[in-house]
Amino acid sequence: MANDERRTSSWATDAAVDLLNSSKLTSNASEKLEKLKQIEELFRGNTFNKDDDQESEAKDAMTVVLRPMFESIVTETDPRVRKFGCELSERVCVLLGENMSTLSSASSVSSSAAVERNGGHFASVLESLFVLVSDGQFPAVQKRATAASANAFREVLVNAAIEGANVDPMIDSEGSLDEGEEKTNTQTTKKKTK
């Protein structure tokens, strides 16, 4: 059974790697866009009838392919592919946000690893957007990357807040405040005495 699971979960990853490699080798921008769109579909899995195996396959494919895919997009010279990278970054951030919101209710070691993995995915997306925002050759790409960056940062901040809601307050067992809160309380007391 373990071999069957390994073989099944590697199918989406293998397909995504093959599509990425073939998109890197093609010089036709339309073909490249089509292959990148197919990879995006693998990230999403079957959205209508998603089971745990398909979701796992999609996450595995994203873990292996996301960073190299964005590296490929930002090195591309065709503005259509670069603009697609901006749009893709927004959709990936939303997808990661959906994953984070489902993880926020579960508190276990596996969810902690998944949160860390999603943080790495967010970093990959934001790094590529920084490159695309500084694209001086194609103003349309730069404009789209700026809009995508705002949406991506919003999604990251919302997810940081969701994850932060699960963190225990910084008060030790004796009820004393942490160092930052002590400074704030001291400053407030000093203002009242003046």
Side-chain angles (χ1 to χ4, degrees):
M1 182 82 175
N3 281 340
D4 291 338
E5 289 176 16
R6 212 175 290 133
R7 195 174 329 124
T8 302
S9 68
S10 68
W11 173 86
T13 303
D14 291 344
V17 168
D18 290 342
L19 286 167
L20 180 61
N21 288 336
S22 61
S23 77
K24 287 179 179 181
L25 295 175
T26 186
S27 58
N28 184 343
S30 297
E31 289 178 24
K32 190 173 295 234
L33 282 171
E34 185 58 37
K35 291 181 188 320
L36 293 173
K37 287 176 184 178
Q38 290 173 1
I39 294 172
E40 180 184 4
E41 286 301 314
L42 288 173
F43 288 167
R44 292 190 176 282
N46 184 356
T47 55
F48 295 113
N49 208 2
K50 189 181 279 191
D51 60 8
D52 289 341
D53 290 340
Q54 290 172 331
E55 194 170 325
S56 176
E57 289 176 28
K59 288 177 184 177
D60 290 346
M62 187 179 287
T63 299
V64 172
V65 176
L66 188 68
R67 182 175 292 277
M69 182 172 147
F70 276 114
E71 289 171 355
S72 171
I73 289 171
V74 299
T75 59
E76 180 62 39
T77 57
D78 188 278
R80 292 178 298 162
V81 174
R82 293 174 72 88
K83 203 168 179 183
F84 172 77
C86 300
E87 296 162 0
L88 177 65
S89 65
E90 283 182 304
R91 291 189 295 267
V92 167
C93 282
V94 169
L95 184 63
L96 291 172
E98 291 169 0
N99 289 343
M100 292 291 282
S101 64
T102 58
L103 291 172
S104 67
S105 60
S107 107
S108 68
V109 175
S110 64
S111 70
S112 174
V115 167
E116 186 175 328
R117 181 183 64 230
N118 280 350
H121 295 333
F122 276 128
S124 298
V125 170
L126 294 176
E127 288 170 2
S128 67
L129 283 172
F130 283 142
V131 172
L132 293 170
V133 162
S134 62
D135 186 354
Q137 188 176 5
F138 303 108
V141 172
Q142 192 175 32
K143 181 178 178 181
R144 186 66 185 98
T146 303
S149 296
N151 292 332
F153 274 108
R154 183 187 73 238
E155 195 67 41
V156 168
L157 291 173
V158 165
N159 285 294
I162 289 170
E163 184 58 29
N166 292 330
V167 176
D168 293 333
M170 297 294 289
I171 299 177
D172 65 14
S173 61
E174 297 175 3
S176 66
L177 302 172
D178 72 348
E179 186 178 323
E181 290 181 34
E182 287 176 347
K183 288 180 182 178
T184 304
N185 288 341
T186 305
Q187 291 171 352
T188 305
T189 308
K190 287 180 182 177
K191 287 180 183 178
K192 288 180 182 177
T193 59
K194 287 185 179 180

